[in-house]
Structures are given as C-alpha cells and as structure tokens.
Amino acid sequence: MILAAGLGTRLKPLTDTMPKALVPVNGQPLLDLNIHRLMGQGYGRFVVNVHHFAQQIVDHVACQDYTSLVQFSDETSQLLETGGALKKAQSLFDPDEPVLIHNVDILDDLDFNWFRSQHQSDDDAVLLVSRRKTKRYLLFDNDMRLVGWTNIETGEVKSPLGSHLPPLTSLNTFAFSGIHSFSPRLFPLMESFPDRFSIIDFYLSVCHRSRIVGLVKDDLHVLDVGKLDSLEQAEAFMGHHHC
C-alpha cells in the first residue's frame, strides 16, 4: 500500500496545484519512482489511497505501464490518516499475505526482498527502524518487541503497559522509518477504532497482545521528500543510490 492521500502542505506552493504523489524528482513523479522500484523487486499489486487532487492521481496512473497493477482506495470525503487508510482498504488485500506499507514521499535504498524475508510467520507487524536522531522514538524491549513511544522533548510516554512499563533507560529507542509490514490478522483489532486514526497509535494500543516487532537497518538511507528544500536532496539521493 502506498500512502498518497496527504495534503502535502510542507511542499506548498507545488501542492496548491498537484498532489505530492505527482511532485517530480529528476522529472519523475514520486509515485512512479516508488512503484517502479517495488515492481523491480517483485511486487505486482498496489493499493494507493487518494484524497488531495485525487483525480489527478487516477488520471496519471491510467496512462502508466503499471496501471493494471493499481487499485485505489478513495478518501476524497475524508482524510483517514495512516491507520484509517489501512482499515478502509482492508477488502483490497490478500488476507493471507503481509502488506508492505510505504509513504509516497519517502525515498530509500531498502532491499525489499530482504525486508519481506524478515517478516516471520508469527509476527503481526514488522516496523523498520533506525538510530536516526529525532524527538519521537519507539520503545522496544530486548527482544525488539514494541512496548511504547516517547517524545524526549516533552517527556510524554505512551504504552499499554502503563505503570508496568520498565524504566526508559532499560529499553531500546529507535526512530520509525515510515516503512512497515502489516499482517491482515490485525484487522479485527481495528474494528473498535474510529474511521480516522494513526497506525502508530494502533500499534501502541495492541502491542501488549500482538507481536509488533522492530527491525533495525543501520545502513538504511531514507529521505523524506515532504519539504521543498528536500527536493534538491532527493535529486542527489536518486543519483547516488541509483533508485
């Protein structure tokens, strides 16, 4: 699933007239770059959610070589965030196969065949994480099972373990890359959630009864192309990593 519904407000004024999925890097829209790279690594079915300038994305995909591989999840009436987007698109996925979730404005050099092989049969979700410096970190125990989240600037902590959460100093803190592998086994646990919610909030609410694990990739290069100043970096990134 490629998350392409966002408003792209950080990319204004470009996104005043186009969705961020169609913002070009080296002349190629972000959506095309991501789909072609995933096709090159064996992916043959894509779900793309749309909201902001949705029709532009639909029209664009209709003219591409990959058009027959794409199904759309229409969020034009309401943006559903990352968790709500998955919940709405549930019927479009194979119930027996993990779903790779990727933001349209992320460029990376991940070997997706490797990532896919890391999702073990008993894992409910695998979150790709790194040691990147940030304000917000996911918290994992020594088995790399998700147990919570913290904002180190505000001191806020979220965890279903409450007072049973071990001291933060004994936990592993990692930054989330925005790339994860999701087992459709988790869909029933989403039924009590509203239409609109964050996937991270969902993971944090069920990690005490589901197997949500972190996977560290120290040599991972990820570029968030969500801001105007990162577009130039993206062009350099593409040249350097031959995406």
Side-chain angles (χ1 to χ4, degrees):
M1 180 166 193
I2 296 184
L3 299 173
L7 299 175
T9 45
R10 296 178 301 160
L11 281 169
K12 279 177 169 285
L14 285 176
T15 46
D16 289 338
T17 54
M18 70 166 70
K20 66 179 176 181
L22 298 185
V23 169
V25 172
N26 286 347
Q28 284 197 72
L30 285 166
L31 182 63
D32 294 4
L33 287 171
N34 275 309
I35 287 187
H36 281 135
R37 210 165 83 72
L38 289 161
M39 284 170 66
Q41 297 197 35
Y43 284 84
R45 289 182 58 227
F46 300 90
V47 171
V48 178
N49 67 332
V50 290
H51 170 84
H52 184 57
F53 291 123
Q55 195 59 46
Q56 281 191 35
I57 298 178
V58 172
D59 292 345
H60 173 80
V61 169
C63 304
Q64 304 309 309
D65 58 347
Y66 58 75
T67 182
S68 63
L69 309 179
V70 173
Q71 289 176 284
F72 291 104
S73 181
D74 186 354
E75 295 180 21
T76 43
S77 58
Q78 184 194 10
L79 260 179
L80 300 178
E81 291 189 48
T82 49
L86 253 180
K87 182 181 179 182
K88 180 177 171 51
Q90 175 177 351
S91 65
L92 302 177
F93 302 118
D94 180 334
D96 302 316
E97 287 288 326
V99 180
L100 172 71
I101 299 154
H102 199 292
N103 291 337
V104 77
D105 54 1
I106 293 280
L107 295 175
D108 60 79
D109 61 354
L110 182 63
D111 177 344
F112 286 99
N113 289 313
W114 171 82
F115 184 56
R116 193 162 48 216
S117 73
Q118 301 302 303
H119 190 138
Q120 308 301 316
S121 57
D122 60 339
D123 293 336
D124 292 311
V126 179
L127 282 52
L128 189 67
V129 296
S130 68
R131 298 176 209 275
R132 175 172 58 87
K133 290 259 189 295
T134 181
K135 296 174 197 168
R136 294 175 289 273
Y137 288 98
L138 295 176
L139 304 170
F140 298 90
D141 66 15
N142 285 334
D143 294 325
M144 283 305 288
R145 281 191 66 163
L146 181 68
V147 291
W149 170 96
T150 186
N151 181 324
I152 58 171
E153 261 190 10
T154 64
E156 184 187 0
V157 174
K158 293 181 187 175
S159 171
L161 302 180
S163 59
H164 297 291
L165 183 70
L168 296 194
T169 49
S170 70
L171 296 171
N172 299 293
T173 57
F174 290 102
F176 181 42
S177 68
I179 299 168
H180 44 130
S181 182
F182 171 93
S183 168
R185 282 198 300 265
L186 288 173
F187 277 127
L189 298 182
M190 284 184 173
E191 282 170 15
S192 60
F193 276 70
D195 288 344
R196 179 177 182 160
F197 61 97
S198 143
I199 191 64
I200 289 295
D201 284 347
F202 169 75
Y203 286 152
L204 289 168
S205 73
V206 302
C207 61
H208 59 309
R209 56 193 178 118
S210 302
R211 189 172 162 77
I212 317 289
V213 299
L215 178 64
V216 187
K217 185 90 171 69
D218 281 326
D219 59 351
L220 178 70
H221 295 97
V222 172
L223 183 65
D224 174 356
V225 195
K227 301 188 287 292
L228 277 179
D229 62 355
S230 55
L231 280 175
E232 282 180 28
Q233 291 171 266
E235 300 196 348
F237 182 96
M238 295 297 293
H240 187 256
H241 295 289
H242 306 295
C243 295

